[in-house]
């Protein structure tokens, strides 16, 4: 049944998951309202994504949602380890520190951000985001499926949608359309965006249960546990090994069952009865006294897919609609949130006339390469586990040979030493998944929204031998993330604040130091001339803020009287190594270039 009604709005977001709902929140922070539709009947009913890293949390911090998230998230100390064991209650083969808890890496994490990693299941994150969006004036319509669109003009999109409850179709006219509708994105299909696909790694099976493992976990604290029996010959084909993931400590768990690598099981082969699923879960727990309640079972494909481009005119796609990958490194929802954070300020600036429409072209140029990086890293994170499986003989189909390999681990001689070293090296290889500070924080944007003309060379290289996945590179090079530094007032009247809190909040920011008053004057003048707010602060001796630990002096990479100009998304737009003859003229040229004016 069709309705002649055409609903009009500036902004239509399709999908109310982490991508779409966070975009609505970020746009709302700019005072923008619109319509958010989702085919689902409500927010996520299963945990799905769960790791919220520092980069993702910084975006939510910018709009005042960090504490709301922390109030319901599992705190970082419960994420201290990842383990390899025969069962949750049984023998442990190995463990590694996770998510910044390694004593060798704690300082790196503390230097990277004022935020911490937390475990925030999607079932808890989505209600926070949708509630904020609604309270800020967004209209949220569940049970509403996007069907197709037309573009009668470059500035108008007419989307046809269907109300699944009434079966009534109607149209929504918008200035912009955002496809955040997940891995089966209808918006991406309608646009015909090509997808870059690499061979997948098969199917996985999620079994969500309620089981109180608090007594078991007391000496095994961690939110991820690999469970397997190297010598086992009777495992169900869908349950060769399991990653046991904490959902809520310590009574809700996701058992992610994996078939043997290369087994290429069909979806039907992953089917079993609820009793069979529960029996395998109980085997993985290894304690018959624990009561287990089955909550949900679901299958998913392990993909390595990214869209060739994220935007087409006034239609933008991101989130799982454009990058699909396994959950290794915990990059999924965090990338969705950062996609949205990158785009929201640009949409607002163009709509308000503060920027030219070409600013929006920078979204694809900046975020599509990030999508390529994260799908590649996440899939490599899964492949990295092959090495310890091989070291334990788990990939050996011949049971006799497998037992021989396992026996080598007990051998006190040279053969045993080699086998144990192989296993140790293989386990250490996986730490790129659990200490991936580089892949999380080192995004490098290259677009017209970054001013590079004054740079004499490429960004600084990582130290020789440094792992690009693990190593966070702190720099003010344009297109990189503003470094986090704790600063305070000359007479401390409160807690130190972070440099990232000076920036963001929907405005540009200029940071300078002693001798840089000319930059602050220029910022005030250009703000008035362009109608674009540029907050300006001086950091250093007797300045607006004191560089109390001298960390800004070490990280700013410009002289005291130089400046660093930061975009609303807290990425560096431009920097000057020192004071120049006409700072006003230069700053205006930079701002016009970045904004496409």
């Amino acid at each position: 049944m069709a309705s002649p009604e055409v609903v009009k709005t500036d902004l239509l977001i399709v999908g109310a998951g982490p991508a779409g709902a966070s975009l609505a929140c970020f746009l709302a922070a700019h005072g923008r309202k619109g319509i958010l539709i989702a085919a689902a009947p409500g927010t996520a009913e299963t945990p799905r994504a769960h790791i919220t890293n520092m980069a993702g949390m910084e975006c939510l911090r910018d709009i005042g949602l960090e504490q709301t998230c922390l109030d319901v998230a599992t705190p970082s100390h419960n994420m201290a380890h990842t383990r390899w064991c025969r069962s949750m209650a049984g023998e442990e083969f190995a463990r590694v520190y996770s998510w910044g808890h390694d004593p060798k890496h704690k300082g790196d994490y503390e230097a990277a951000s004022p935020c911490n990693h937390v475990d925030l299941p999607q079932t808890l994150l989505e209600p926070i985001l949708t509630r904020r969006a609604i309270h800020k004036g967004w209209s949220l319509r569940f049970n509403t499926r996007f069907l197709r669109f037309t573009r009668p003009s470059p500035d108008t999109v007419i989307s046809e949608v269907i109300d699944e409850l009434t079966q009534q179709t109607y149209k929504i006219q918008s200035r912009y359309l955002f496809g955040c509708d997940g891995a089966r994105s209808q918006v991406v299909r309608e646009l015909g965006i090509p997808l870059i696909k690499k061979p997948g790694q098969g199917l996985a099976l999620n079994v969500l249960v309620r089981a109180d493992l608090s007594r078991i976990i007391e000496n095994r604290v961690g939110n991820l546990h690999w469970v397997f029996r190297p010598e086992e010959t009777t495992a169900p084909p869908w349950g060769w090994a399991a990653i046991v993931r904490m959902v809520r400590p310590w009574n809700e768990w996701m058992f992610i069952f994996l078939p043997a690598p290369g087994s290429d099981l069909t979806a039907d082969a992953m089917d079993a009865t609820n009793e069979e699923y529960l029996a395998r879960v109980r085997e993985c727990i290894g304690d018959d006294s624990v009561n287990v309640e089955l909550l949900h079972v679901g299958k998913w494909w392990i993909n390595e897919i990214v869209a060739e481009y994220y935007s087409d005119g006034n239609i933008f796609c991101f989130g799982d609609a454009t990058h699909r990958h396994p959950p290794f490194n915990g990059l999924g929802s965090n990338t969705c949130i950062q996609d949205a954070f990158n785009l929201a300020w640009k949409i607002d600036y163009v709509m308000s006339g503060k920027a030219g429409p070409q600013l929006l072209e920078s979204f694809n140029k900046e975020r599509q390469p990030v999508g390529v990086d994260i799908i590649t890293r996440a899939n490599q994170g899964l492949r990295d586990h092959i090495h310890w499986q091989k070291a334990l003989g788990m990939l050996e189909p011949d049971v006799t040979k497998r037992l021989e390999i396992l026996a080598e681990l007990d051998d006190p001689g040279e053969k045993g030493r080699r086998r144990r070293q192989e296993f140790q090296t293989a386990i250490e290889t996986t730490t790129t998944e659990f200490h991936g500070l580089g892949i999380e924080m080192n995004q490098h944007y290259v677009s017209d929204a970054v001013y590079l003309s004054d740079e004499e060379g490429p960004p600084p290289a990582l130290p020789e031998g440094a792992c690009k996945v693990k190593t966070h590179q702190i720099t003010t090079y344009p297109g990189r993330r503003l470094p986090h530094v704790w600063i305070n007032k000359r007479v401390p009247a409160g807690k130190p604040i972070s440099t990232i809190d000076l920036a963001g909040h929907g405005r540009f920011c200029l940071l300078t130091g002693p001798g840089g008053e000319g930059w602050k004057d220029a910022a005030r003048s250009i703000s008035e001339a362009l109608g674009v707010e540029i907050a300006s602060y001086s950091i250093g001796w007797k300045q607006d803020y004191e560089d109390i630990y001298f960390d800004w002096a070490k990280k700013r990479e410009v002289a005291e009287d130089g400046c660093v100009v930061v975009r609303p998304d807290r990425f560096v737009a431009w920097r000057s190594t020192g004071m120049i003859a006409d700072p006003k003229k230069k700053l205006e040229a930079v701002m016009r270039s970045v904004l496409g004016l």
Side-chain angles (χ1 to χ4, degrees):
M1 181 172 62
S3 169
E5 175 190 8
V6 177
V7 180
K8 295 184 178 180
T9 183
D10 282 330
L11 306 165
L12 174 61
I13 301 174
V14 181
S22 66
L23 178 62
C25 291
F26 296 138
L27 287 167
H30 291 277
R32 300 293 173 184
K33 300 175 183 179
I35 298 174
L36 183 62
I37 67 171
T43 54
E45 61 179 5
T46 56
R48 304 179 200 172
H50 65 118
I51 299 294
T52 300
N53 64 30
M54 295 182 294
M57 189 62 82
E58 284 183 8
C59 301
L60 300 175
R61 178 188 182 98
D62 186 74
I63 59 170
L65 280 181
E66 180 186 23
Q67 190 57 53
T68 307
C69 292
L70 294 177
D71 289 343
V72 298
T74 297
S76 179
H77 66 262
N78 286 328
M79 305 161 63
H81 298 102
T82 296
R83 302 191 312 124
W84 288 259
C85 53
R86 189 178 297 276
S87 69
M88 294 294 288
E91 294 178 346
E92 185 174 297
F93 299 106
R95 68 169 69 181
V96 296
Y97 291 105
S98 300
W99 316 115
H101 287 87
D102 190 329
K104 298 190 296 294
H105 298 301
K106 280 186 176 181
D108 296 334
Y109 278 73
E110 291 173 0
S113 174
C115 302
N116 292 316
H117 284 71
V118 295
D119 195 305
L120 181 59
Q122 199 165 326
T123 43
L124 299 179
L125 174 62
E126 285 188 15
I128 290 172
L129 298 175
T130 53
R131 183 166 57 246
R132 167 61 71 88
I134 292 169
H135 288 175
K136 291 294 184 179
W138 278 74
S139 172
L140 172 58
R141 304 182 181 190
F142 286 118
N143 293 298
T144 302
R145 183 162 51 90
F146 172 87
L147 298 175
R148 61 189 64 87
F149 74 86
T150 59
R151 266 191 287 203
S153 72
D155 296 327
T156 303
V157 183
I158 297 179
S159 300
E160 185 176 345
V161 304
I162 182 169
D163 184 321
E164 298 279 26
L165 298 179
T166 65
Q167 292 302 301
Q168 183 179 62
T169 61
Y170 61 98
K171 294 177 180 179
I172 302 176
Q173 177 179 313
S174 60
R175 180 172 173 182
Y176 295 102
L177 171 65
F178 306 95
C180 308
D181 46 340
R184 298 178 180 87
S185 172
Q186 180 66 11
V187 179
V188 168
R189 277 198 292 267
E190 285 289 305
L191 271 176
I193 296 178
L195 300 176
I196 303 169
K197 299 182 180 181
K198 293 187 177 180
Q201 298 191 63
L203 274 166
L205 179 74
N206 286 354
V207 178
L208 179 65
V209 304
R210 184 173 290 115
D212 185 0
L213 304 187
S214 54
R215 180 179 55 80
I216 293 173
I217 290 297
E218 184 177 0
N219 298 313
R220 302 169 173 87
V221 173
N223 65 333
L224 292 171
H225 311 256
W226 275 88
V227 178
F228 53 91
R229 294 176 176 82
E231 74 288 352
E232 188 173 27
T233 59
T234 59
W238 46 264
W240 174 77
I243 305 169
V244 183
R245 167 197 150 191
M246 176 207 69
V247 177
R248 300 300 290 164
W250 300 107
N251 57 14
E252 191 173 340
W253 299 85
M254 181 78 80
F255 285 71
I256 306 170
F257 287 109
L258 301 170
S263 55
D264 295 326
L265 292 187
T266 64
D268 290 343
M270 302 288 278
D271 288 338
T273 65
N274 288 349
E275 290 72 23
E276 288 171 324
Y277 289 138
L278 283 172
R280 191 58 173 168
V281 166
R282 292 189 181 99
E283 289 176 351
C284 289
I285 292 173
D287 184 340
D288 293 338
S289 68
V290 175
N291 292 320
V292 183
E293 177 187 357
L294 181 65
L295 301 177
H296 187 269
V297 176
K299 291 170 280 193
W300 52 278
W301 290 98
I302 303 173
N303 289 317
E304 188 166 356
I305 299 172
V306 67
E308 281 193 14
Y309 50 87
Y310 284 13
S311 61
D312 182 323
N314 56 347
I315 302 178
F316 301 84
C317 299
F318 61 93
D320 287 357
T322 55
H323 41 80
R324 306 164 196 174
H325 53 89
F328 294 85
N329 280 87
L331 299 169
S333 64
N334 293 289
T335 305
C336 296
I337 291 169
Q338 291 171 82
D339 286 342
F341 195 56
N342 177 284
L343 181 58
W345 74 270
K346 298 172 181 177
I347 291 289
D348 174 69
Y349 273 50
V350 171
M351 290 182 69
S352 61
K354 298 175 183 177
Q358 58 264 48
L359 175 64
L360 298 177
E361 296 174 8
S362 67
F363 172 68
N364 175 67
K365 292 177 181 178
E366 293 179 353
R367 293 304 298 176
Q368 196 273 348
V370 174
V372 173
D373 287 346
I374 64 109
I375 67 149
T376 303
R377 174 57 232 160
N379 276 274
Q380 186 57 46
L382 175 55
R383 295 184 187 103
D384 285 344
H385 288 276
I386 291 289
H387 304 296
W388 62 259
Q389 295 162 6
K390 181 180 179 182
L392 293 177
M394 293 179 65
L395 305 182
E396 179 56 61
D398 185 291
V399 177
T400 301
K401 178 63 175 175
R402 198 184 316 163
L403 293 174
E404 289 176 0
I405 292 172
L406 286 171
E408 288 180 8
L409 289 161
D410 298 330
D411 185 343
E414 181 60 28
K415 184 180 291 187
R417 282 193 290 272
R418 286 197 303 269
R419 180 64 64 179
R420 289 187 292 274
Q421 182 60 54
E422 181 184 352
F423 178 62
Q424 176 184 333
T425 301
I427 291 294
E428 290 171 346
T429 297
T430 69
T431 58
T432 49
E433 176 185 350
F434 312 113
H435 286 293
L437 197 54
I439 191 68
E440 292 173 7
M441 302 293 283
N442 284 351
Q443 291 92 349
H444 178 202
Y445 295 162
V446 179
S447 75
D448 290 340
V450 174
Y451 194 92
L452 292 169
S453 299
D454 296 330
E455 294 299 322
E456 296 181 354
L462 287 171
E464 186 175 353
C467 173
K468 67 178 183 179
V469 177
K470 288 183 175 183
T471 307
H472 177 211
Q473 189 174 31
I474 299 173
T475 178
T476 60
Y477 193 90
R480 300 297 289 268
R481 188 183 303 275
L482 174 68
H484 151 65
V485 165
W486 290 117
I487 54 180
N488 209 334
K489 292 292 188 178
R490 183 83 171 177
V491 178
K495 294 180 179 179
I497 70 168
S498 171
T499 45
I500 73 161
D501 292 325
L502 296 182
H505 310 295
R507 64 193 182 187
F508 279 78
C509 176
L510 182 148
L511 301 178
T512 186
E517 188 62 34
W519 291 117
K520 295 177 69 177
D521 291 341
R524 285 188 287 267
S525 176
I526 301 307
S527 289
E528 184 175 345
L530 299 183
V532 175
E533 184 179 2
I534 308 174
S536 59
Y537 304 96
S538 185
I539 302 172
W541 186 263
K542 292 187 177 180
Q543 302 299 299
D544 299 324
Y545 289 94
E546 296 286 329
D547 187 13
I548 50 178
Y549 298 110
F550 308 109
D551 284 336
W552 181 242
K554 298 170 186 173
K555 297 179 180 180
R556 67 184 181 228
E557 298 179 325
V558 299
E560 282 188 325
D561 61 354
C563 73
V564 178
V565 176
V566 188
R567 307 188 322 187
D569 58 357
R570 300 200 187 103
F571 276 72
V572 176
W574 171 74
R575 62 183 180 177
S576 176
T577 56
M579 181 53 68
I580 60 177
D582 193 343
K584 177 183 173 182
K585 180 179 180 181
K586 183 63 181 182
L587 183 59
E588 181 174 1
V590 168
M591 291 297 294
R592 287 187 177 278
S593 175
V594 168
L595 294 172
L597 295 173

